[in-house]
């Protein structure tokens, strides 16, 4: 393995990356600005280049059924909704009425509100209530890290063959290498080990933003 292929991303190079990627539309820029005003919570929003990747992946898969665990102010949901198949639906799981109020307003403005089903409840309750057979084409996981393994186990059996699971914050600022007793990076490190050992998926971890894992779900009937 060679590390010398990795490029150090400076502020100037990051601006170059954004300038050569799919740009946020007007509604998305509005969500970015409103979220930025939230101060320390603003970091919960996925960055623009990750949002562009979500749109690209959704556009390739064209999901009829997509699920998002952790919606916040709705930016990532907007990105995924752009790639839904005709008549496709996105189920969003969150517990905050306050933060998702911004999301609802943005979805309405973007004209995708009728394609998004927001459930305000503990995500595991929502996922466990879904049909148990494989029917989900794409899932994006970006919520409380101590719940990642439980959400994963609720989602994988419900994913169609060749469906895609996308998981955010899998590097957690690099702290996964040395969790040092901190429960959050320890939970992420445990999740990463869980995914690596899961024979039902083919995962790849990428150093995009705070780290993302893409995992293709195999045909579970063939395992």
């Amino acid at each position: 393995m060679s590390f010398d292929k990795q490029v150090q991303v400076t502020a100037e190079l990051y601006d170059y990356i954004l300038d050569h990627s799919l740009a946020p539309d007007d509604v998305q820029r509005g969500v970015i600005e409103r979220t930025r005003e939230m101060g320390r919570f603003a970091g919960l929003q996925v960055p623009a280049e990750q949002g562009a990747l979500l749109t690209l992946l959704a556009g390739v898969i064209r999901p009829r059924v997509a699920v998002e665990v952790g919606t916040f102010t709705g930016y990532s949901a907007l990105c995924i909704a752009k790639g839904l198949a005709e008549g496709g639906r996105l189920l969003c799981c969150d517990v905050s009425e306050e933060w998702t109020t911004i999301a609802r307003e943005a979805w309405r403005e973007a004209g995708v509100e009728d394609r998004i089903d927001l459930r305000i409840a503990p995500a595991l309750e929502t996922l466990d209530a879904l049909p148990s057979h494989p029917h989900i084409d794409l899932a994006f996981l970006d919520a409380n890290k101590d719940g990642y393994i439980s959400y994963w186990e609720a989602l994988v059996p419900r994913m169609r063959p060749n469906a895609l699971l996308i998981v955010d914050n899998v590097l957690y600022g690099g702290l996964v290498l040395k969790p040092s007793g901190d429960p959050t990076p320890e939970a992420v490190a445990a999740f990463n080990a869980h995914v690596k050992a899961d024979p039902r998926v083919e995962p790849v971890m990428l150093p995009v933003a705070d780290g993302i894992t893409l995992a293709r779900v195999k045909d579970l009937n063939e395992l």
Side-chain angles (χ1 to χ4, degrees), residues 57-58 61-68 80-81 83-93 115-117 119 126-127 130-131 133-140 155 158-166:
L57 292 172
I61 294 172
R62 301 294 289 170
R64 295 195 59 81
V65 179
V67 175
E68 177 180 73
I80 295 169
L84 290 173
E86 185 68 29
R89 302 279 298 174
L90 171 61
L91 170 65
C92 289
C93 307
R115 310 187 77 183
I116 300 176
D117 180 9
R119 308 277 181 92
T126 300
L127 297 177
L130 295 176
H133 66 274
H135 65 285
I136 300 170
D137 304 298
L138 181 145
F140 178 51
L155 284 166
R158 294 175 166 86
M159 306 295 291
R160 296 183 191 272
N162 296 313
L164 184 66
L165 273 156
I166 309 168

Side-chain angles (χ1 to χ4, degrees), residues 173-196:
L175 295 178
V176 289
L177 292 177
K178 297 179 180 178
S180 303
D182 187 327
T184 302
E186 281 194 350
V188 176
F191 169 76
N192 291 338
H194 186 81
V195 172
K196 180 181 178 181

Side-chain angles (χ1 to χ4, degrees), residues 59-83:
V60 170
I61 294 172
R62 301 294 289 170
R64 295 195 59 81
V65 179
V67 175
E68 177 180 73
V69 181
T71 294
F72 191 39
T73 54
Y75 185 80
S76 53
L78 280 173
C79 296
I80 295 169
K82 284 185 173 185

Side-chain angles (χ1 to χ4, degrees), residues 98-137:
E98 177 185 1
W99 290 345
T100 55
T101 295
I102 297 173
R104 288 184 188 275
E105 292 173 0
W107 300 339
R108 189 177 307 118
E109 185 179 354
V112 297
E113 185 183 31
D114 61 338
R115 310 187 77 183
I116 300 176
D117 180 9
L118 175 63
R119 308 277 181 92
I120 302 296
L124 196 56
E125 292 182 9
T126 300
L127 297 177
D128 284 344
L130 295 176
S132 60
H133 66 274
H135 65 285
I136 300 170
D137 304 298

